[in-house]
Amino acid sequence: RMGQIVKKKPKDMESAMTELLTDADTFTLELDHNLSVQEKANMIGSLLLLDYMFFERDTDAFAFDDSGISINCFNCFCYGCICPCSCECTDDSPGDD
């Protein structure tokens, strides 16, 4: 085992509401003390890449526009691609153009 990612629990009500109502979470990376500097740098780089790929994307959980609402439930990683699983509710009523 080279390291472990641990989710920190909220320490107060404000932190709990932030986690509940946004996509913000707090994690720590616990590294093995016997790792070389290069291995530690690789672990930190991998953690930042995973965070960017799954959590820092431009697709928000909810998106609103003139055509309706889009809800992104989760992202699935499949064969090197990130596939969002989302639901869309569109307004198909005739407009006043």
Side-chain angles (χ1 to χ4, degrees):
R1 176 187 111 165
M2 295 178 67
Q4 181 177 3
I5 300 171
V6 179
K7 183 183 180 312
K8 294 177 75 174
K9 69 178 187 175
K11 60 182 178 258
D12 55 14
M13 184 58 93
E14 180 182 357
S15 300
M17 289 292 108
T18 300
E19 285 193 18
L20 180 66
L21 300 173
T22 67
D23 61 354
D25 288 316
T26 305
F27 294 90
T28 59
L29 174 62
E30 298 173 356
L31 297 173
D32 187 6
H33 296 290
N34 298 326
L35 294 177
S36 69
V37 174
Q38 181 67 34
E39 290 172 323
K40 289 178 182 179
N42 285 337
M43 290 289 291
I44 292 171
S46 298
L47 179 67
L48 291 173
L49 177 63
L50 288 171
D51 178 60
Y52 177 75
M53 286 174 57
F54 286 101
F55 303 110
E56 301 299 328
R57 297 186 49 195
D58 287 339
T59 57
D60 294 326
F62 299 96
F64 302 95
D65 60 16
D66 293 336
S67 63
I69 181 173
S70 174
I71 302 168
N72 188 20
C73 302
F74 62 88
N75 294 324
C76 180
F77 185 75
C78 182
Y79 293 108
C81 299
I82 298 175
C83 305
C85 177
S86 60
C87 301
E88 293 186 11
C89 299
T90 59
D91 181 15
D92 293 332
S93 61
D96 295 60
D97 294 338

